[in-house]
Amino acid sequence: MKQTQKEWARYIQDEIQKNDSYDNYKHAFIEYKDYLEKCLLENPRDVEKVCQLAIAYFTVYQDGKTSVNVLEEFLKKYSKDLNDDEKAVIYQDLADLYEKDAYDDKKCKYYLTKLIEMGKQSVIVWEVLGEYYLKRKKYKKALECFQKMEKFSDEKEIEDDYNYGITLFYCGYFEKAKEMLLKCYKKEPESAGILYALALCLHYTNDKKLAEPILDKLLEKVSLEKYYYDKQILFEELIGLYYLFEEYDRCVLVFEKEIDELDWEEHFYYNMRFSFYFYSLKKLGNFKKAESKLSELIQKHNKYIEKIEVGEIYDKKYWNEEEIDEFIEEEKNEIKKVLEIYKKIMNSNYKPQNKRINLEKMYKTCYLVDCPQHQKLD
């Protein structure tokens, strides 16, 4: 008979390990939920049990708002009887639920601020608050939070160092960012997100030799997989990266892989990667290929427009003639944009600038206190 939180966590983690899908291990959380509800009928003021119940509700019902309501109702009822340690556990869980699942960043910040005011500071508190500012592009405030996080260096994980590193980058401290991201790279040398962020830093610190193996590794990752995908970087970001390093042959290779293998070979929406591609072909002296690829892209796109006209894309039962004409006009404008940038690149000294640098923060799986699914067990 499972009695302690750790015994339930062990049981849940064993069930997850045995079963490959949520539907096959959901029963363990339902059992835990039922157990916790019975315990709270006997002792409704049990902080550990109510926090665990909020986690169980979230996992069973896939709804952060239900879990948030459980904890906030508990606070309303028992706040005067709770000590600071008990409140801190609830505040941390609420901050996590609001940030990731109930989608209310202001409430997340509210509970993190309460923890700081109580003196309950930790890596988690400063990391999540740093992420809050990072998301809003308030990089100086984010940096202050991550610097305070450094005081708790023994508790840090790779995500903490990575988010600190990209914040240093955004603040223009490229050498310090490089140092932090190299630390991450040594821990996880295969992470595409870390490789990409580190390569960007190495461009801005003029470390081309150090960058070469990183750029090679990124290209190898893209080349090996037929449909390359990573949640932290996109094809267009890799195209932009190789363009920054003036690795024009690689820029062309990645662009063509995207054109040939992703879903939009029939039609496209203009963005800077078209500029980088055609400029790269020009620098490589491959004018015939540039002209041929432009013609191929436009031909495919015109066929897509023909499909719109005959109702294959937008069913004429649901879209009127005026709306369909608008769709066609939009598609023609995309062709026009690509033609304009192509002519500008080929007929002048114009060099497109890569101004769009995007580094995605790394999310930790979970900040919930003693989450039965994610806590580390001996």
Side-chain angles (χ1 to χ4, degrees), residues 221-238:
K221 279 180 171 292
V222 173
S223 303
L224 284 174
E225 297 180 43
K226 187 176 179 186
Y227 295 102
Y228 182 73
Y229 170 76
D230 185 276
K231 64 183 177 184
Q232 279 195 279
I233 56 170
L234 303 171
F235 265 116
E236 64 184 87
E237 286 161 347
L238 283 178

Side-chain angles (χ1 to χ4, degrees), residues 15-144:
E15 289 302 298
I16 291 169
Q17 203 167 4
K18 283 190 284 184
N19 298 289
D20 57 353
S21 79
Y22 167 72
D23 287 338
N24 292 333
Y25 64 74
K26 181 180 175 181
H27 69 91
F29 281 99
I30 293 172
E31 290 169 39
Y32 192 31
K33 172 187 79 71
D34 294 344
Y35 165 77
L36 291 165
E37 285 173 340
K38 283 178 187 172
C39 290
L40 285 164
L41 286 173
E42 293 172 17
N43 180 11
R45 191 209 164 284
D46 190 322
V47 172
E48 181 188 89
K49 297 287 192 301
V50 81
C51 287
Q52 290 291 302
L53 183 62
I55 298 169
Y57 277 169
F58 172 67
T59 312
V60 172
Y61 302 124
Q62 300 287 290
D63 178 12
K65 288 180 182 176
T66 304
S67 302
V68 159
N69 290 340
V70 167
L71 294 178
E72 290 192 328
E73 285 301 315
F74 184 85
L75 277 175
K76 278 180 194 173
K77 200 168 183 179
Y78 298 108
S79 186
K80 288 179 184 177
D81 303 326
L82 302 176
N83 61 42
D84 282 356
D85 289 339
E86 290 172 319
K87 286 178 184 175
V89 173
I90 298 170
Y91 293 163
Q92 183 172 316
D93 283 354
L94 280 166
D96 182 81
L97 288 163
Y98 270 119
E99 197 269 333
K100 289 202 182 95
D101 308 308
Y103 310 111
D104 188 335
D105 291 339
K106 287 182 181 175
K107 289 299 286 280
C108 168
K109 185 187 175 189
Y110 168 77
Y111 284 111
L112 292 171
T113 305
K114 284 184 85 69
L115 284 164
I116 293 165
E117 287 168 355
M118 290 166 63
K120 299 291 182 182
Q121 300 178 32
S122 65
V123 160
I124 288 172
V125 171
W126 290 114
E127 159 69 10
V128 180
L129 193 56
E131 285 182 17
Y132 171 87
Y133 288 120
L134 187 56
K135 196 191 285 186
R136 283 161 176 71
K137 300 185 179 179
K138 294 183 177 178
Y139 300 124
K140 286 185 179 176
K141 285 193 172 184
L143 185 58
E144 286 171 16

